[in-house]
Amino acid sequence: MRKRLTTVGKSRAVILPKELLELYGFGEEVEIEPTDGGLILRPARRGLSFEEAAEKLFAEKEELLERLSNA
């Protein structure tokens, strides 16, 4: 797919079709990764809250934590 750059103030932008945004799950933010051949554009990953991260950690390491607490 080839797209034209659009001028927005003193910057340039690419307008992405709604179908592509929905297909790849883009929200309000994107991650841009520079590569040797150009740029990679991805939907921004949603970070975990502290509670979600702690829950995930304890679920994944439950056996290890139990062994350590019994040592």
Side-chain angles (χ1 to χ4, degrees):
M1 171 185 294
R2 184 175 284 221
K3 298 292 289 180
R4 236 182 225 289
L5 291 174
T6 303
T7 301
V8 178
K10 293 183 180 180
S11 299
R12 306 282 282 177
V14 176
I15 307 298
L16 300 174
K18 180 181 177 183
E19 296 78 21
L20 284 180
L21 297 173
E22 290 174 352
L23 178 64
Y24 292 103
F26 281 91
E28 295 297 315
E29 295 184 339
V30 298
E31 292 182 8
I32 302 171
E33 180 183 334
T35 67
D36 290 338
L39 298 172
I40 297 176
L41 186 70
R42 292 188 184 95
R45 287 178 259 165
R46 184 176 91 69
L48 298 176
S49 69
F50 178 80
E51 291 79 14
E52 292 169 326
E55 185 177 311
K56 180 179 178 186
L57 173 68
F58 288 120
E60 291 175 356
K61 305 297 182 187
E62 180 179 8
E63 182 182 326
L64 174 62
L65 292 169
E66 188 173 322
R67 283 190 287 149
L68 289 171
S69 68
N70 292 330

